[in-house]
Structure formats: structure tokens, C-alpha cells
Amino acid sequence: MIITDRIYGEFRVDGILEEIIRSKPLQRLKGIHQGGASYLVNPNWNVTRYEHSIGVMLLIKKLGGSLEEQIAGLLHDISHTAFSHVIDFVIENDEENYHEKIVKPVIEGSDIPNILNKYGYDYKEIVLDDSVWTILEQPAPNLCADRVDYTLRDMSAYGQISPLDVKLFLENLSVKDGKMILHNIEAAEWFTETYYKEVIDFFMHPLNIYGCDFLVKALKIALMKQVINLDDLLRTDDEVMDILRSSENQEILSIIRKIHPGVIVKEDPCSWDLHRKTKIRIIDPAVLHEGILSNSSVLSQKVRATGKKILKKAAEGSFVRIVSDEKR
């Protein structure tokens, strides 16, 4: 299998990786959007969990990670429900980790264990403890393949960074003692600013907040009225939307009619209709400077200032005024 990725270029994949990619659970992720409800209000916000999962695997491969860690990267989002993290707002899970809580039954109910077993791997050792995969996952504020890929992927897809920006950043990224590091402070400053664009300018964009808020309301009612159940959320985004649109519940239909690309909203802390806070996400990349590994915030006033902006905005949340929710 030849994979052409928008971030990492062309790679040949075969064996166990190819079988996992072709499996039903991985293919389902083509219908799960990274941004949750975002694609419903802006069709251009269309990066999927499938694309991201492939990207994480390729980044781990590019950085010299083991085949086992590449497999873990490929499977790390396998249990994401429809609309990704929207479910966390539906069930009011502040940790935004519902997909991690259900990974074991999702994996066990799929053909993934059989594929892994065919090649001599136990799914429990690959999937259920990501602490052993130090390139794939790291606690904030460290870099990791998951965090780096979704930032580069979203910001590249949505026109916030250029291919040259990405190339220069990746040239300064490597692994030391199993963890990602950067080789100059300029790369750390650039990534910190790019991450800010991701978690504030995109995740907390007023239109994103609007789409999520209305979809959460619709899904809460649909679950309460038994129009859907939690297992239905293991389908794709569009399949769940079809169930909602086919519902005879007028309250649900009234809400989802207001989720469309013609919505006009603006941020307005003085006169707002919606207010939402999201999980606090900060970044402080490790930098190898003059032979010593240091957090970039120690070396750069710019990184420190950007981190403060993220914390301040996350604490305040986003205040959204609905200018128009009528279809044009």
C-alpha cells in the first residue's frame, strides 16, 4: 500500500500496518471528523480521525519509532465516537477522555485482536497502556506524536501554516531518550504559536463553539428520548446525523436545522448567547540548547507569553453571540 500524506509525503506500508489500515475499525474513522461538529458549520473543517491516525503512525515511523509503537499510533483513536469529543460535553466529562474509557470493549468487539495475534502481538500490550509508547503520548506540556500531528494537520489543512513551515519544523524535530525534542528555540517558538492557533483560534472559534453547543443539545435529547443509544455513537458522524434527521422528535429536528454553514456568529463577551470552556491545553517543548535539554519557556520570553495567553483564554472561555442562524 502506498500512502500519500499531506504532511509527511509518500510512504509504502505493508504487512500488519496495511491489514490494520484496511480493517473495518480504521476505515470507520474516515467518517469521524477531528473537529466534532465543525464540519457541519464549515465544510472546509473536514480533517478526519483516519487521516490523523495514519499521520501519527507515519510521524512515529519517521522519527525511528518501533513497529509496535507505529501500530499503537495507528490504533490510538480507534474508539472515538461520532463527532469525536462532542460526546464528552454530552455526558459532561471534563477530562474529555470518553474514548479512552471504552477502548477495551471497542477493540475486543472488532477484528483488531485477531489481526495482531496473527503477527504475534497481544492487543492488551499494544493498545491498553499507552504510557509505554513515549513518542506517541506524553503528558502536557511535552511534545508527542499525537499532539504534534493534529496541530500540524489541522493548521496546514485550514491554511494557517505553509508546507515550508512544516518542513522546517520537522527538520528540527527528533527523539532523545524516547521523547521528542527540538533543536533550536525558533522551532519551539513557532510550534508554540501554531499550537495556540489550534487550541484557541480553532478549537474555541465561535463557529466551532456554536456547532458543538447545538449538537450537544440535540444528542442529549436523543439519548434521553432513546432516539439513539451510546452504541449508535460508534457509527460515523453522517450515520448518526441521518438517525437524528429521521427522528420524529420535533425538538431534535428544530435544533439540528440550526446547524448549517450559513450560521453567522461572533465573539462578544458583553452580549453573548453561548459560553463554553474547554480542557486546558498548554505546550512547552523541550529544546536542546548548547548541549543542554531545557523547556523552551526557560529560554524564550515569547514562549512564556504565548503560554500565558493560552491559560488566560482557556480560563475565560469563549463568549459567542449568534448574529444569524437562518439558512441563506
Side-chain angles (χ1 to χ4, degrees), residues 268-288:
D268 189 342
C270 298
S271 177
W272 49 272
D273 301 294
L274 309 171
H275 175 243
R276 185 177 293 280
K277 294 183 180 181
T278 61
K279 179 180 175 181
I280 294 175
R281 293 174 170 89
I282 56 172
I283 199 76
D284 190 2
V287 178
L288 190 62

Side-chain angles (χ1 to χ4, degrees), residues 119-171:
Y119 288 87
Y121 296 112
D122 183 341
Y123 82 92
K124 298 183 188 71
E125 296 175 356
I126 297 290
V127 178
L128 298 187
D129 182 12
D130 60 20
S131 68
V132 301
W133 310 124
T134 57
I135 303 175
L136 168 60
E137 294 289 359
Q138 284 287 319
N142 300 320
L143 296 180
C144 65
D146 182 22
R147 204 167 284 128
V148 167
D149 183 82
Y150 72 63
T151 302
L152 297 181
R153 190 162 302 278
D154 284 351
M155 293 298 92
S156 178
Y158 307 145
Q160 297 298 310
I161 57 178
S162 72
L164 179 59
D165 290 331
V166 173
K167 179 177 181 292
L168 292 174
F169 172 76
L170 291 175
E171 286 175 353

Side-chain angles (χ1 to χ4, degrees), residues 205-216:
H205 190 289
L207 196 56
N208 234 338
I209 299 298
Y210 173 95
C212 180
D213 189 271
F214 275 74
L215 184 57
V216 165

Side-chain angles (χ1 to χ4, degrees), residues 189-190 192-193 300-307:
E189 290 173 341
W190 177 85
T192 304
E193 184 64 29
S300 169
Q301 169 60 30
K302 186 175 181 179
V303 170
R304 291 194 294 274
T306 302

